[in-house]
Amino acid sequence: MSEANPGQSMRAEIDEQPRIFADLLAGTDIAAVAATIAQRKPRFALLAARGSSDHAALYAKYLIEVLLQLPTGLVSPSTTTLYGAQPDLSDVLLLTVSQSGGSPDLIEVTDSARRRGATTVAITNTPGSTLNSTAELAVDIRAGQEQAVAATKTYSATLLALYLLIDAVRGGTGQDAAALPDLARRTLDESSDAVAEAVHRYRFAGRLVTTARGYSLATALEAALKLAETSYLPARAYSGADLLHGPVAAVDAETAVLAVSGEGKGGAAMRDVLDAVRERGADVCTLGSGPAAAHHIPVPACAEELAPVLEILPVQRLALRLAVARGGDPDRPRGLSKVTRTR
């Protein structure tokens, strides 16, 4: 990458996403994994992940609880890696989400869960990874090698792979996702001017709050991470409900608020949140296909449970352009590497 063209890799990888979605939709391996899960009829599900993958796991939590009606929890890896907890996981489904498949704590959690009776599934972008060989089953998100440190195409591909897996477990065919490649192209094309305006507004922002409800909470969390790691912008993400339970008191005219509000129940539940932050004088930008503020980044409408796959695309463009405008290189954020090894 040339220093004269900062963000070159991130830009190219953002633009790849419509094609990656089409490749995922054309694949057949997810159906076989889903059939095994459905046959075993797990009594509840657990999700293990770190970083951006943790936000994808939260999205999967909503999918599993709503579409499969299974109670679902997010694993705290340190209960296994640091404290040695060994609960009985018979008849439990464990999905471990890791783009690299190389995080030692997630490998240890998956190995431990498999030995204690769980059906273990690795969701990765690295078919030959240690995580894939540790888990009983594996799903390849098929995004191809990612050069930029900030995850873009691997994050959205993970979301879509998780949707297709969970939809297939309930007997679906992924039909609602068929239009996503075209909708992704529209999203990238139609949001460009609004993203440019957001860059202009936030270039000198001192702090940012991102917020959403329902499925889109994953988008708010990922947006805060992307903006913090590429632009070094202090950003905090809140569920809209949690924001109203106290943190809204810190919102004022010096606060930028990025509110994700799509169509459906989650977006409708954001109306009170938008009213509250407006009343406190915040600089509000909405993103999505639902309730809109004066400054709005549009996203085409789709099934509510698929909206996060599209919503994240203009967020990634915003992170890229804002980082460059603030004098950074989002391909090489300071102090970060592609694989973070924790235990």
Side-chain angles (χ1 to χ4, degrees):
M1 187 212 68
S2 169
E3 292 184 2
N5 193 7
Q8 176 177 290
S9 294
M10 186 176 179
R11 187 177 298 109
E13 287 161 359
I14 290 170
D15 291 343
E16 283 184 62
Q17 290 170 104
R19 177 193 59 76
I20 291 166
F21 295 168
D23 288 348
L24 257 176
L25 287 163
T28 59
D29 55 321
I30 290 176
V33 176
T36 300
I37 295 169
Q39 182 182 31
R40 294 184 184 177
K41 296 181 172 60
R43 55 193 171 96
F44 64 87
L46 293 172
L47 294 140
R50 293 286 194 191
S52 287
S53 294
D54 206 27
H55 306 152
L58 178 66
Y59 169 66
K61 183 178 188 295
Y62 274 87
L63 290 174
I64 295 169
E65 291 185 342
V66 176
L67 303 185
L68 301 184
Q69 300 286 296
L70 280 179
T72 308
L74 298 174
V75 168
S76 299
S78 61
T79 61
T80 296
T81 62
L82 299 184
Y83 297 100
Q86 297 189 19
D88 180 3
L89 296 182
S90 302
D91 303 321
V92 171
L93 170 65
L94 175 77
L95 301 182
T96 304
V97 187
S98 172
Q99 292 148 14
S100 70
S103 182
D105 55 350
L106 298 180
I107 293 167
E108 185 174 341
V109 165
T110 304
D111 177 64
S112 177
R114 185 173 180 180
R115 287 186 283 104
R116 288 180 281 121
T119 295
T120 53
V121 184
I123 315 291
T124 79
N125 192 43
T126 313
S129 70
T130 302
L131 180 61
N132 281 52
S133 61
T134 301
E136 178 186 0
L137 305 168
V139 169
D140 179 6
I141 68 170
R142 301 162 67 101
Q145 186 176 5
E146 193 168 55
Q147 299 292 334
V149 172
T152 53
K153 64 180 183 176
T154 53
Y155 177 75
S156 62
T158 298
L159 296 185
L160 180 53
L162 285 164
Y163 171 81
L164 293 173
L165 175 65
I166 293 160
D167 181 59
V169 171
R170 67 169 175 169
T173 62
Q175 180 177 354
D176 287 345
L180 281 179
D182 289 337
L183 290 175
R185 292 186 190 94
R186 277 185 55 197
T187 301
L188 290 170
D189 290 343
E190 296 174 5
S191 64
S192 184
D193 289 345
V195 168
E197 182 182 349
V199 171
H200 177 72
R201 293 164 71 105
Y202 296 152
R203 182 175 180 182
F204 300 107
R207 63 178 183 272
L208 178 95
V209 168
T210 65
T211 183
R213 292 201 64 183
Y215 293 104
S216 295
L217 178 55
T219 307
L221 290 163
E222 180 65 7
L225 174 60
K226 279 291 161 287
L227 291 165
E229 71 179 350
T230 58
S231 300
Y232 320 125
L233 175 61
R236 288 289 302 272
Y238 295 97
S239 156
D242 288 337
L243 184 61
L244 296 182
H245 278 79
V248 72
V251 172
D252 57 23
E254 301 299 317
T255 308
V257 175
L258 179 63
V260 187
S261 59
E263 291 185 359
K265 295 178 180 178
M270 284 295 292
R271 293 184 186 276
D272 289 345
V273 181
L274 291 172
D275 289 343
V277 294
R278 284 193 195 104
E279 288 172 4
R280 300 193 66 84
D283 180 345
V284 182
C285 174
T286 49
L287 182 151
S289 57
H295 179 211
H296 180 69
I297 300 174
V299 175
C302 64
E304 182 178 4
E305 59 267 27
L306 282 164
V309 182
L310 298 178
E311 291 164 349
I312 199 59
L313 305 182
V315 168
Q316 294 168 349
R317 278 265 181 88
L318 174 59
L320 164 67
R321 294 180 182 178
L322 190 60
V324 174
R326 289 164 70 103
D329 182 353
D331 285 344
R332 299 177 179 177
R334 59 177 183 249
L336 297 179
S337 61
K338 193 64 186 168
V339 180
T340 301
R341 298 188 178 276
T342 54
R343 186 173 186 278

